[in-house]
């Protein structure tokens, strides 16, 4: 329901479009960390079980100054639930036609300085066929199972958050072509991640946060032609991402200063890549100052990224908020963003002799870059009533 944010469904699943830009221009985070597993630029949001989500943060407009690549349109940050009560548990089961099942259970609790939670989920659906006269199916069947866990320690000055998750999704369907061929299709997707996030409160007004995370993604696609193997296909795509970060925040009377550094090591393996496997490393540093002056709040920020593939990229941003009245707020922002070319855009090599075409990536691609401006006027005369008028402009280059 957020203005300018659209959830659309396509071949890659459910994805986000912000202010007219496609899903490849939005950074999707889970607890502030980048989610992997994009297919043709789309990250399928149905991978994330709603039972895990506490709330969602949305940043509209170019946000690469803090979040790095892909944040040209904005950022979606899925914040997962934290166990707080001594013991809490919930479960649900929904069933329906086509052997549909949506089941999930979660339990957690806290004792003294420790808290933890464990969740499981299972969704399945037989799909459907609107044209039974032919062999092809309209919608694929789906069987998805997930597991996630989290453990938190809270001390006097030290807090440690550790956890992980695993998702297994199996989709099956039947396709047909103009020549009368029938193909049994299966797509098996698996994702897994582990993380540790320590935080030290160095002073009453300062804290230091760290993060180490490993993410793995596997996508196996098979298409088996009945009565022949001439057009059989099998693709095995595997992606991994290792990342580490450190953030320092200082809160003063008028200034809140944020400094940070991040490093990433990413690799993709696929038969369709030249050489079969590619990797790259990226490092970034950023700074932001939230400066409050009477009714004004100014937020300048800037980031520098260095990537082994495309070199150095600078992305500044300046935002301001003015409280014109108690119930009337003006916000303006201008910034730059960039999207690094993916491994497939750079190194893809695929031949289809039967159809007579070749798809080949371009290793000389530079990052797409953008400049954006936006302004909004928000009026809220009552707690249950608000009006928001927003205008924005994005200019993209090197598409």
């Amino acid at each position: 329901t957020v203005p300018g944010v659209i959830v659309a469904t396509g071949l890659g699943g459910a994805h986000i479009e912000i202010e007219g830009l496609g899903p490849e221009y939005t950074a999707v985070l889970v607890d502030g960390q980048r989610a992997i597993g994009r297919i043709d630029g789309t990250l399928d949001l149905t991978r994330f079980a709603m039972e895990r989500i506490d709330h969602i943060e949305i940043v509209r407009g170019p946000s690469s100054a803090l979040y790095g690549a892909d944040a040209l349109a904005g950022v979606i940050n899925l914040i997962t639930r934290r166990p707080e009560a001594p013991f809490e548990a919930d479960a649900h089961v929904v069933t329906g036609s086509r052997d549909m099942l949506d089941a999930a259970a979660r339990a957690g609790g806290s004792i003294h300085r420790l808290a933890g939670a464990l969740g499981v989920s299972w969704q399945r659906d037989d799909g459907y066929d609107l044209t039974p006269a032919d062999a092809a199916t309209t919608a694929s069947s789906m069987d998805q199972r997930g597991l996630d866990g989290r453990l938190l320690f809270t001390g006097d000055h030290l807090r440690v958050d550790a956890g992980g998750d695993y998702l297994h999704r199996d989709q099956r369907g039947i396709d047909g072509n103009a020549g009368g061929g029938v193909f049994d299709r299966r797509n098996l997707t698996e994702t897994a991640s582990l993380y540790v996030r320590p935080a030290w409160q160095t002073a009453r007004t300062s804290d230091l946060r760290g993060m180490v995370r490993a993410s793995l993604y596997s996508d196996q696609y098979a298409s088996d032609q009945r009565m022949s193997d001439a057009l059989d296909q099998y693709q095995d795509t595997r992606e991994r991402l290792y990342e580490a970060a450190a953030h320092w925040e200082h809160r003063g009377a008028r200034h809140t200063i944020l400094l940070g550094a991040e490093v990433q090591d990413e690799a993709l393996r696929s038969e369709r890549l030249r050489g079969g496997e590619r990797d790259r490393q990226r490092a970034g540093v950023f700074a932001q100052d939230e400066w409050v002056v009477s009714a004004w709040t100014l937020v300048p920020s800037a980031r520098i990224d260095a990537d082994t593939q495309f070199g150095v990229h600078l992305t500044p941003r300046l935002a301001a908020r003015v409280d014109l009245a108690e119930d009337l707020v003006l916000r303006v922002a201008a910034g730059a963003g960039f999207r690094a070319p993916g491994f497939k855009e750079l190194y893809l090599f695929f031949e289809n002799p039967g159809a007579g075409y070749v798809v080949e990536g371009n290793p000389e691609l530079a990052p797409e870059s953008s400049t954006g401006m936006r302004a909004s006027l928000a009026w809220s005369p009552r707690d249950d009533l608000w009006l928001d008028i927003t205008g924005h402009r994005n200019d993209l280059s090197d598409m």
Side-chain angles (χ1 to χ4, degrees), residues 19 331-333 373-377 388-394:
E19 295 184 340
R331 294 181 177 89
V332 294
M373 298 177 291
R374 67 188 326 275
S376 69
L377 187 64
D388 190 330
I389 301 175
T390 301
H392 68 269
R393 176 188 174 96
N394 289 308

Side-chain angles (χ1 to χ4, degrees), residues 28-180:
V28 178
L29 314 177
V30 178
D31 291 328
Q33 308 307 318
R34 190 173 298 269
I36 67 171
R38 290 180 181 266
I39 299 296
D40 294 332
T42 297
L43 187 75
D44 185 7
L45 295 178
T46 63
R47 285 169 34 193
F48 306 105
M50 285 302 299
E51 291 75 23
R52 295 182 58 202
I53 307 302
D54 180 78
H55 63 281
I56 300 173
E57 296 176 344
I58 300 173
V59 180
R60 291 172 292 177
S63 304
S64 291
L66 281 186
Y67 299 99
D70 305 332
L72 283 76
V75 178
I76 303 294
N77 189 13
L78 308 178
I79 307 298
T80 59
R81 296 169 56 184
R82 297 182 58 178
E84 295 179 352
F87 179 76
E88 57 185 20
D90 59 77
H92 77 256
V93 177
V94 179
T95 187
S97 59
R98 304 197 312 268
D99 203 17
M100 186 273 287
L101 175 68
D102 180 359
R106 189 173 189 84
S110 62
I111 178 171
H112 302 301
R113 296 179 181 270
L114 288 175
L118 183 67
V120 295
S121 62
W122 183 18
Q123 292 84 32
R124 58 155 291 121
D125 192 316
D126 277 348
Y128 58 88
D129 187 5
L130 298 178
T131 55
D134 59 30
T137 55
T138 303
S140 302
S141 67
M142 188 270 289
D143 190 308
Q144 176 174 290
R145 308 180 188 200
L147 174 69
D148 67 273
R150 190 173 186 181
L151 185 65
L152 296 94
F153 168 80
T154 303
D156 295 332
H157 299 284
L158 173 65
R159 184 178 73 250
V160 179
D161 182 1
D165 58 78
Y166 172 75
L167 181 72
H168 179 283
R169 173 186 286 187
D170 193 351
Q171 295 176 290
R172 305 188 187 210
I174 302 173
D175 298 325
N177 65 10

Side-chain angles (χ1 to χ4, degrees), residues 221-240:
Y221 174 87
S223 178
D224 180 20
Q225 184 180 11
R226 296 180 182 178
M227 310 298 293
S228 174
D229 58 4
L231 298 179
D232 287 357
Q233 294 185 53
Y234 176 73
Q235 303 168 29
D236 186 359
T237 301
R238 298 177 186 268
E239 182 180 1
R240 64 150 175 83

